[in-house]
């Protein structure tokens, strides 16, 4: 008999990420859940609507058995903020938070 339990993080998100504008970034964590639950990503406390992104269009969510990642192909200053991953099943939920800072790239012309 397999026991069921609420999601738990085995490797939470890093506390913060600092990247340069135009660079890719991968926000990732590992977790354990049984029964398998759903994963939701939030930016600044609001669920990311992947169908109507007002931020980078190049966002992808990866989901494996015990791993999830939010991939941003090319980050821009408007992508900076607080990101949360929420893993939820019928028995409970687990959350992990991170802060993304995108440093602007200044192009200098002579």
């Amino acid at each position: 008999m397999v026991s069921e339990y609420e999601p738990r993080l085995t490797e939470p998100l890093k506390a913060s990420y600092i990247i340069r504008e135009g660079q890719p970034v991968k926000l990732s964590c590992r977790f354990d859940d049984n029964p398998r639950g759903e994963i939701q990503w939030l930016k600044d406390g609001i669920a990311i609507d992947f169908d109507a992104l007002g931020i980078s269009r190049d966002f992808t969510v990866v989901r494996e058995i015990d791993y999830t990642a939010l991939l941003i192909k090319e980050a821009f200053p408007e992508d900076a903020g607080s990101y949360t991953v929420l893993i939820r099943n019928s028995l409970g939920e687990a959350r992990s938070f991170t802060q993304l800072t995108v440093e602007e790239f200044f192009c200098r012309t002579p």
Side-chain angles (χ1 to χ4, degrees):
M1 183 171 177
V2 177
S3 65
E4 293 186 343
Y5 45 87
E6 65 185 28
R8 53 187 171 228
L9 294 163
T10 57
E11 198 176 299
L13 295 170
K14 285 177 27 178
S16 63
Y17 296 78
I18 300 173
I19 61 162
R20 294 193 70 172
E21 180 178 358
Q23 296 296 307
V25 64
K26 175 172 68 174
L27 313 178
S28 64
C29 72
R30 293 197 172 277
F31 62 91
D32 190 17
D33 65 342
N34 188 34
R36 186 174 175 166
E38 65 179 42
I39 293 175
Q40 185 175 36
W41 285 89
L42 300 94
K43 180 181 184 285
D44 300 325
I46 299 169
I48 298 173
D49 181 353
F50 292 94
D51 294 327
L53 284 174
I55 47 183
S56 286
R57 280 113 346 254
D58 296 328
F59 277 41
T60 305
V61 172
V62 173
R63 162 93 195 228
E64 296 176 5
I65 293 172
D66 67 345
Y67 173 85
T68 185
L70 177 65
L71 309 174
I72 304 173
K73 184 176 178 181
E74 191 176 2
F76 296 99
E78 60 267 25
D79 298 324
S82 174
Y83 286 82
T84 304
V85 61
L86 174 61
I87 301 140
R88 181 183 309 143
N89 68 12
S90 59
L91 300 172
E93 65 181 42
R95 296 174 181 254
S96 187
F97 307 90
T98 190
Q99 185 68 35
L100 175 63
T101 302
V102 180
E103 296 177 336
E104 292 190 46
F105 180 77
F106 296 101
C107 182
R108 299 178 191 265
T109 55

